[in-house]
Amino acid sequence: DTAVSQTPKYLVTQMGNDKSIKCEQNLGHDTMYWYKQDSKKFLKIMFSYNNKELIINETVPNRFSPKSPDKAHLNLHINSLELGDSAVYFCASSLRTSGQETQYFGPGTRLLVL
Amino acid sequence: GQNIDQPTEMTATEGAIVQINCTYQTSGFNGLFWYQQHAGEAPTFLSYNVLDGLEEKGRFSSFLSRSKGYSYLLLKELQMKDSASYLCAVPFSGGYNKLIFGAGTRLAVHP
């Protein structure tokens, strides 16, 4: 009974390729997030959706495009991958958008761009 | 802006007590979270403090002082499995549940 799941777990690809990461939560939460954790382990928010609406959009290259087909799913598409995109990408969800809501993280997708 | 500081690394001995500090600066305060992250795994929620004082949860306790912009995580009766990174995070004061994370404190527990 995985609460927040992501696929794939590992992704190795060449520079210039386009790839997608998928996330699903079965917690009934309204809000979902994408985070990037770089090699220094610094966890930084990229995007957030609430009920399929984009509410947080950090300063991220427009090669990154999130999509939320419904409130249980949030995907991340990355165009023209670059070496600097290598990182672990975590999906998370929370019940609502309130700052007091706990966020629950998925297992992460380890992306390596060669 | 918002800023979070925590020590980069700490070491401790099995069975001991360790305190991991976190200082923060934020224009508005909406609570403080502690997460645990084992190597290669996802962050998992440990605690949330919004009022001053100590909150105890088994071997782990978390303390908050809003006037000092300070929190700590106290781990008692340390076990080897407590070796992990501990992340301090505060919600962005501008709204929504945008968490700002500190760089994390990597704790190594030795026998």
Side-chain angles (χ1 to χ4, degrees):
Chain A
D1 288 357
T2 306
V4 183
S5 59
Q6 294 179 229
T7 54
K9 188 167 183 180
Y10 298 96
L11 188 51
V12 181
T13 188
Q14 298 286 333
M15 232 175 17
N17 283 350
D18 304 339
K19 290 293 178 186
S20 290
I21 308 172
K22 296 188 175 185
C23 177
E24 176 181 0
Q25 53 94 4
N26 62 7
L27 296 167
H29 288 171
D30 284 350
T31 311
M32 296 183 73
Y33 312 81
W34 278 113
Y35 285 86
K36 179 180 180 180
Q37 189 169 46
D38 59 26
S39 57
K40 295 182 179 176
K41 307 301 180 189
F42 192 46
L43 194 60
K44 191 169 181 184
I45 191 163
M46 300 171 70
F47 302 103
S48 177
Y49 272 75
N50 184 60
N51 271 323
K52 302 192 294 176
E53 179 188 350
L54 182 65
I55 57 170
I56 296 174
N57 186 353
E58 290 297 280
T59 309
V60 175
N62 58 15
R63 298 182 294 104
F64 290 78
S65 51
K67 276 194 175 58
S68 181
D70 56 63
K71 72 175 190 177
H73 295 85
L74 180 61
N75 303 324
L76 183 65
H77 188 75
I78 316 171
N79 287 326
S80 304
L81 277 156
E82 299 178 357
L83 295 177
D85 298 332
S86 296
V88 183
Y89 292 85
F90 286 101
C91 175
S93 73
S94 65
L95 186 60
R96 286 177 290 269
T97 61
S98 159
Q100 297 180 343
E101 293 291 342
T102 297
Q103 295 184 24
Y104 297 89
F105 286 79
T109 296
R110 285 138 193 86
L111 171 66
L112 178 60
V113 182
L114 302 173
Chain B
Q2 293 181 252
N3 193 43
I4 298 175
D5 286 310
Q6 43 181 141
T8 305
E9 292 185 353
M10 297 182 74
T11 58
T13 306
E14 201 173 10
I17 299 173
V18 72
Q19 177 174 311
I20 302 174
N21 297 326
C22 171
T23 57
Y24 63 89
Q25 294 168 324
T26 178
S27 53
F29 184 74
N30 206 12
L32 184 143
F33 292 86
W34 283 98
Y35 280 81
Q36 180 191 59
Q37 186 177 24
H38 284 101
E41 297 184 11
T44 55
F45 170 75
L46 286 178
S47 67
Y48 172 69
N49 294 65
V50 68
L51 300 176
D52 289 348
L54 185 68
E55 295 216 1
E56 300 188 58
K57 210 187 272 187
R59 292 189 301 113
F60 291 9
S61 303
S62 54
F63 171 83
L64 176 68
S65 168
R66 288 173 295 174
S67 62
K68 294 181 180 175
Y70 168 67
S71 173
Y72 67 72
L73 184 68
L74 193 69
L75 290 73
K76 301 176 189 173
E77 300 168 21
L78 279 171
Q79 301 175 10
M80 298 296 290
K81 67 177 182 179
D82 297 330
S83 294
S85 286
Y86 292 86
L87 311 175
C88 175
V90 294
F92 176 62
S93 55
Y96 297 123
N97 198 1
K98 175 178 155 181
L99 277 182
I100 308 299
F101 280 87
T105 298
R106 195 160 57 247
L107 174 67
V109 180
H110 298 291

